[in-house]
Amino acid sequence: MDMNLSSILSQNNRINNFNQLNNYFIQLGLNTANNICQAYTISDLRQKCNNIVDQTEYFDFNAIFLCEDKFFISSKTINCLDSIRNKTYIKSELINCGNNTNEYQIYDCLNKSGKMITYNQLSYEYENKIAFDKAENICNSFTNSRTKNDCHKILNNSYFLDIDVISFCLTKFSISPKILNCFQIIKNKTYTVINLSQCSQKSTESTILDCLLSNGYLIKPES
């Protein structure tokens, strides 16, 4: 089989697999929120909860779990669901919000944290979440506080990361300040298997980064 065709088929299989996972987790979040609504015995609370779910395209399942863990099935849970709807969170954000004990501090933290996503962005949301978690773990591995902060700043100014390219950067630059330059170039871009194969053949930091800069496709957020 032609290598280019093989790479394209591999890329398509990867996309199809992630699309299946995306659909699963999208439905998981919505179904879980709906189950919470149906658990209310007071009709006014159930209706208020249903209205929030009906107006929501996406719930982060892990954020729903935080709401349940903190408030069980109460009126506070509904306020929590309203705070997280159509938003995605990385693990550290949910841990940080969960460390609050005051109800309103939790809402405020959830409102200020996470990123709003649109319907068209849901097609890559699951893969994006994995990529951000992996990149965040890399940032947290730095012992130098300035390097760690600079790394997190790049992530905070990104809305999309390609999981395969995060792995590529890690393979090429390990846990070193050089990986920040890699993150800066690949943020908000997606790459094909062929793109990464071409860049992998480069031998120096500058040629690798130049290759990543000149390849890939920018993911544009919905306005």
Side-chain angles (χ1 to χ4, degrees):
M1 180 182 292
D2 180 81
M3 286 303 296
N4 286 342
L5 178 58
S6 178
S7 296
I8 292 171
L9 290 176
S10 176
Q11 182 80 355
N12 287 340
N13 286 335
R14 169 176 167 266
I15 291 171
N16 288 335
N17 289 336
F18 270 113
N19 282 342
Q20 291 177 4
L21 286 170
N22 284 332
N23 291 334
Y24 171 75
F25 279 96
I26 290 168
Q27 289 304 313
L28 181 62
L30 290 171
N31 290 341
T32 302
N34 183 62
N35 288 339
I36 290 173
C37 294
Q38 305 319 309
Y40 288 104
T41 55
I42 300 176
S43 59
D44 287 348
L45 289 179
R46 186 166 60 249
Q47 185 58 51
K48 183 179 179 181
C49 185
N50 284 336
N51 288 341
I52 291 173
V53 175
D54 290 342
Q55 296 169 16
T56 303
E57 295 174 336
Y58 174 78
F59 279 111
D60 186 319
F61 175 76
N62 290 321
I64 290 180
F65 179 79
L66 172 65
C67 292
E68 283 189 294
D69 184 59
K70 286 293 181 179
F71 304 120
F72 303 103
I73 305 296
S74 67
S75 58
K76 297 177 182 179
T77 314
I78 299 175
N79 295 331
C80 191
L81 291 178
D82 193 38
S83 298
I84 65 168
R85 65 192 196 90
N86 296 327
K87 297 186 74 176
T88 181
Y89 298 82
I90 56 178
K91 291 178 182 177
S92 62
E93 290 175 325
L94 294 178
I95 292 172
N96 180 51
C97 293
N99 285 335
N100 291 300
T101 55
N102 179 274
E103 169 191 355
Y104 296 102
Q105 288 177 334
I106 294 174
Y107 301 152
D108 186 56
C109 182
L110 290 171
N111 280 321
K112 291 180 178 178
S113 304
K115 296 181 180 180
M116 296 295 297
I117 57 174
T118 64
Y119 180 78
N120 286 345
Q121 290 175 312
L122 292 178
S123 61
Y124 55 74
E125 175 53 30
Y126 180 69
E127 181 176 4
N128 200 26
K129 182 183 291 293
I130 296 174
F132 269 97
D133 284 341
K134 184 166 186 174
E136 187 186 49
N137 288 337
I138 292 172
C139 291
N140 289 333
S141 297
F142 288 109
T143 55
N144 182 288
S145 60
R146 181 174 180 179
T147 304
K148 181 184 292 187
N149 289 336
D150 287 344
C151 186
H152 281 295
K153 284 180 182 178
I154 295 173
L155 301 193
N156 291 338
N157 290 322
S158 307
Y159 50 82
F160 176 81
L161 295 173
D162 186 319
I163 182 62
D164 288 340
V165 196
I166 293 296
S167 298
F168 177 88
C169 292
L170 182 59
T171 299
K172 289 295 183 180
F173 303 114
S174 303
I175 305 294
S176 72
K178 294 179 181 179
I179 203 171
L180 272 65
N181 296 325
C182 196
F183 284 178
Q184 184 65 41
I185 288 174
I186 61 97
K187 70 176 186 178
N188 305 329
K189 294 177 71 178
T190 185
Y191 293 78
T192 66
V193 174
I194 296 174
N195 290 155
L196 294 183
S197 176
Q198 291 171 342
C199 295
S200 183
Q201 296 172 20
K202 308 300 180 182
S203 57
T204 65
E205 175 188 359
S206 60
T207 55
I208 291 170
L209 296 178
D210 284 343
C211 181
L212 291 172
L213 185 62
S214 60
N215 284 286
Y217 304 90
L218 184 66
I219 298 290
K220 295 182 179 180
E222 287 294 306
S223 58

